[in-house]
């Protein structure tokens, strides 16, 4: 294990994601929590599911006590190289195609609502014109 000043990449930290070797990234620091897995009040699965990413939000969402925060110091093995941690991106929906195929039936219905009465009117005029000329 390194000293607290050692800097790790997220890829290096991600290699430690099993029960016998578990590291977490919280608030820019890297923690080897392997020895704490069995004692963690939330269970080891919670810690294991937080590996391979910046687990700061997961940690903060739970609302850990000041005692829990103080305990973290003994598990600290270094710092994370923040340039290796992807920044969270906001969800952007995919661009819609210019021609929306889902609207096609709606378009056809509107077109028919226009053309059918026009066709009936045309037939009525045609029939009237034909019957008057004979």
């Amino acid at each position: 294990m390194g000293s607290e000043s050692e800097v790790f990449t997220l890829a290096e930290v991600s290699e430690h994601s099993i029960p016998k070797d578990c590291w977490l990234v919280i608030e820019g620091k890297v923690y080897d929590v392997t020895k704490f897995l069995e004692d963690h009040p939330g269970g080891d699965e919670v810690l294991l599911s937080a590996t391979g990413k910046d687990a700061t939000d997961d940690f903060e969402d739970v609302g850990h006590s000041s005692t829990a925060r103080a305990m973290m110091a003994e598990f600290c093995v270094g710092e994370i190289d923040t340039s290796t941690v992807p920044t969270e991106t906001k969800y952007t929906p995919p661009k819609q195609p210019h021609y929306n195929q889902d609207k096609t039936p709606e378009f056809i219905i509107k077109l028919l609502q226009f053309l059918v009465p026009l066709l009936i009117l045309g037939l009525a005029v045609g029939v009237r014109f034909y019957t008057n000329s004979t």
Side-chain angles (χ1 to χ4, degrees), residues 11-102:
E12 290 172 321
V13 174
S14 297
E15 293 172 7
H16 305 271
S17 60
I18 60 173
K20 293 183 179 181
D21 184 20
C22 182
W23 290 16
L24 298 178
V25 176
I26 300 171
E27 295 178 351
K29 296 201 183 287
V30 178
Y31 299 92
D32 180 350
V33 295
T34 308
K35 293 177 183 171
F36 185 63
L37 286 177
E38 289 181 21
D39 298 327
H40 185 253
D44 62 350
E45 285 299 315
V46 175
L47 297 177
L48 289 166
S49 69
T51 60
K53 64 178 183 174
D54 183 343
T56 303
D57 288 341
D58 296 342
F59 180 81
E60 294 297 335
D61 287 347
V62 173
H64 286 87
S65 67
S66 55
T67 306
R69 291 175 187 275
M71 285 177 63
M72 291 171 64
E74 69 182 270
F75 300 107
C76 188
V77 292
E79 296 182 10
I80 189 73
D81 177 353
T82 54
S83 69
T84 65
V85 179
T87 56
E88 279 192 38
T89 54
K90 289 187 176 178
Y91 173 75
T92 50
K95 293 193 176 195
Q96 294 294 321
H98 182 67
Y99 177 68
N100 189 344
Q101 294 176 341
D102 294 338

